[in-house]
Amino acid sequence: MRLTLRGAGGKQTWPSRECGTTEAPINIPGPVLMMRTTLARAPSLPESSPIQKVSSISSKQTSAGAGSASAVSRPCPTARRCRGGPRRPRATRAGTAFASAVSSGRSPSDAVSLPLIDGPCVWRGPELRAAPELWTHRLTASEIAELDAALARARAANLDVIDLTPETFPLPSLAPRLRALRDELVLGRGVYLFRGLPVRRWDRWETCAAFYALGAHMGWTCPQNARGHVLGHVKDLGNDPTDPATRLYTTAAAQPFHTDSADIVGLLCVENAREGGESQVVSTAAVYNALASERPEMAAALLEPFPVDRKGETPPGKKPTYAMPIFHLHPSSAFSSKRDDENPSQSQSYALSGIYDRSFVDAAQKRWSAADGVPRLTRAQIDALDALDATCADDEFRLDMRLEPGDAQWLHNHTTFHARSAYERGSDRHLLRVWVAPENARPLPEAFAERFGELEPGPNRGGVRVEGQTPYCALEPGG
């Protein structure tokens, strides 16, 4: 299905690029702009489904060019599709309807089709493994010297780590790179790796301060647990991973593919385990596309709500569990400002946002009963979760990383899932973590308010927020 958008001649400016069901460059050199949507056929859904059939749009058969997305070393990423993207299935015939998880009221007899996502956030592990220069930067000697100078000024001013901001921790040369990193995460592939932070040379305060300040340059930091940690520690504290109330980052157990409750997560390796503890990342959209194309009934099930536990970290006025789909298709304002001339009422593009943690879904089943208002998972829901996990774990989708001391991994939670393999209990493995809400955060569907609170970009978007919480930076695990 193709949408032809006509405009006045000459160069036109398109809104900032993000992944969605369309593909278009930022700068449009001619009078015609193409957007392209691909469809995958799915079976009918039950009448209770919130997925609504939306009319498809008639098309003209023209083509659009695509280039490659820039690496984060540039001051601003381009808006072109990343090279080496996965082969997209062919569109179904014109006239097929596609599914949208934005409203309800469809007939149970109607067939449903699922839109496929395109753009730089659609990638596969082997492609990125073959081109690490696209998503990796080793800090230069001058950048490290700039961090050292900022640390010296902050220490001389007797600043606490939580007091570090772009104003109190200026980084004249590194700040533009951090803004470009933020843009690459939010608008691009959603994954990046900094290497070479001198954690062996820095003391604990310097390591915590430098990493926290990097996150603060990209946006507002969020509390990560009920205690209010805005600088967190991923470390085995000896907690029981079989206890459904346990958050697995405090254990040495494997963490399944999941998202964190913030737009961006940063993880700095201070020490890794001798064996195990590897990081895995997948493109949410690539996984969704595969399921929508090959097992559409599974993708459709994942667009429906699942009961999720809060593991005791309950915001004021909220219940201890909530309902949340894993996949969210929602209108993308970055694409909907232009309309199809021939079908102005039907021109609509969608973004895909993911929110998932199997351990929180399982915890809701173990800690609560149907009598508590938490429905039991159906066989179809369990099968869909299993299919999702298996696809994420597939070598064709997964990007593996072994983080070494001084490596800082940055991820966009709405467009990637990440996981961690198990490691030996009592190991010295230790990561610092920041959660960041950037000022250019993507629009989110209303359903996310149940987990993210405020949806407008700002200091109160995302994080774990409970009564009586005071945000602070713990310098040591368990602090």
Side-chain angles (χ1 to χ4, degrees):
M1 181 173 69
R2 301 176 188 272
L3 312 182
T4 304
L5 302 179
R6 300 177 177 86
K11 180 177 288 188
Q12 304 175 38
T13 300
W14 191 246
S16 58
R17 180 74 168 97
E18 68 173 307
C19 280
T21 54
T22 64
E23 179 176 340
I26 289 179
N27 291 320
I28 306 164
V32 178
L33 166 68
M34 285 301 305
M35 296 197 302
R36 183 166 52 202
T37 300
T38 308
L39 304 176
R41 191 73 171 171
S44 298
L45 295 176
E47 188 169 7
S48 60
S49 168
I51 298 178
Q52 179 190 23
K53 183 178 72 175
V54 181
S55 298
S56 63
I57 305 167
S58 61
S59 61
K60 291 189 176 182
Q61 300 301 313
T62 38
S63 60
S68 60
S70 64
V72 75
S73 57
R74 299 183 184 177
C76 182
T78 66
R80 303 184 189 278
R81 186 180 177 208
C82 55
R83 69 185 182 189
R87 296 289 186 269
R88 293 177 300 168
R90 292 185 179 274
T92 56
R93 58 182 173 80
T96 303
F98 66 90
S100 151
V102 294
S103 57
S104 60
R106 60 178 305 280
S107 167
S109 62
D110 290 337
V112 176
S113 299
L114 302 174
L116 300 184
I117 305 302
D118 197 6
C121 67
V122 184
W123 50 264
R124 296 197 180 194
E127 298 158 2
L128 295 196
R129 281 196 294 273
E133 71 279 1
L134 296 178
W135 53 278
T136 305
H137 170 68
R138 181 168 290 278
L139 293 173
T140 66
S142 62
E143 288 169 338
I144 293 172
E146 189 169 85
L147 285 169
D148 285 334
L151 287 168
R153 285 192 298 270
R155 179 163 263 170
N158 199 31
L159 294 176
D160 287 336
V161 172
I162 199 171
D163 296 326
L164 302 180
T165 66
E167 293 71 36
T168 62
F169 200 91
L171 298 170
S173 299
L174 193 52
R177 183 181 293 282
L178 292 169
R179 289 192 293 271
L181 166 63
R182 175 201 65 194
D183 293 344
E184 171 66 10
L185 293 172
V186 174
L187 305 174
R189 297 178 186 86
V191 55
Y192 212 85
L193 183 68
F194 274 2
R195 314 203 84 157
L197 287 162
V199 297
R200 299 288 198 205
R201 172 168 62 81
W202 285 338
D203 63 25
R204 181 54 54 82
W205 183 89
E206 290 171 324
T207 298
C208 291
F211 184 56
Y212 180 83
L214 292 178
H217 269 269
M218 287 191 283
W220 298 275
T221 57
C222 311
Q224 302 170 29
N225 55 25
R227 301 181 67 181
H229 290 174
V230 289
L231 178 72
H233 297 262
V234 179
K235 181 107 171 85
D236 178 19
L237 300 180
N239 294 327
D240 181 5
T242 65
D243 181 347
T246 296
R247 290 186 62 184
L248 293 178
Y249 77 88
T250 64
T251 76
Q255 283 188 272
F257 280 94
H258 66 282
T259 58
D260 290 4
S261 296
D263 298 288
I264 292 171
V265 57
L267 293 162
L268 171 63
C269 180
V270 178
E271 193 66 66
N272 209 338
R274 288 190 297 272
E275 293 184 4
E278 284 80 12
S279 175
Q280 299 101 33
V281 185
V282 296
S283 160
T284 304
V287 170
Y288 162 84
N289 282 352
L291 291 172
S293 301
E294 300 166 16
R295 307 189 71 182
E297 74 285 358
M298 300 296 183
L302 296 168
L303 287 160
E304 299 291 329
F306 287 73
V308 182
D309 191 24
R310 297 186 192 272
K311 297 197 174 187
E313 298 177 322
T314 306
K318 295 294 185 180
K319 295 181 179 180
T321 64
Y322 60 99
M324 183 68 68
I326 282 81
F327 291 140
H328 297 252
L329 290 169
H330 52 104
S332 170
S333 61
F335 300 107
S336 60
S337 60
K338 299 284 186 180
R339 307 187 73 84
D340 178 25
D341 292 341
E342 298 179 0
N343 299 276
S345 66
Q346 298 179 10
S347 179
Q348 181 65 72
S349 301
Y350 290 84
L352 176 79
S353 295
I355 181 169
Y356 181 48
D357 192 324
R358 181 75 178 262
S359 71
F360 281 71
V361 175
D362 290 344
Q365 299 296 298
K366 295 174 182 176
R367 283 164 46 86
W368 309 96
S369 67
D372 298 317
V374 179
R376 303 297 87 186
L377 294 180
T378 66
R379 183 70 257 172
Q381 287 179 308
I382 295 171
D383 289 345
L385 293 175
D386 289 345
L388 171 62
D389 291 341
T391 306
C392 289
D394 192 313
D395 289 344
E396 286 300 308
F397 294 90
R398 198 182 72 240
L399 174 64
D400 293 336
M401 297 185 207
R402 178 165 179 83
L403 301 180
E404 300 296 340
D407 288 351
Q409 179 192 75
W410 303 94
L411 302 170
H412 188 223
N413 280 300
H414 307 313
T415 56
T416 64
F417 294 145
H418 62 283
R420 182 200 72 201
S421 65
Y423 60 95
E424 183 181 3
R425 296 195 67 176
S427 166
D428 291 333
R429 187 181 192 273
H430 181 195
L431 307 184
L432 298 181
R433 183 173 66 187
V434 291
W435 286 358
V436 177
E439 64 180 18
N440 65 337
R442 68 155 45 190
L444 292 173
E446 286 297 323
F448 270 64
E450 188 65 41
R451 192 71 185 92
F452 273 61
E454 293 186 12
L455 297 184
E456 288 297 316
N460 295 319
R461 170 164 153 148
V464 175
R465 302 179 190 273
V466 300
E467 195 86 41
Q469 182 187 66
T470 301
Y472 72 104
C473 293
L475 298 184
E476 299 293 337

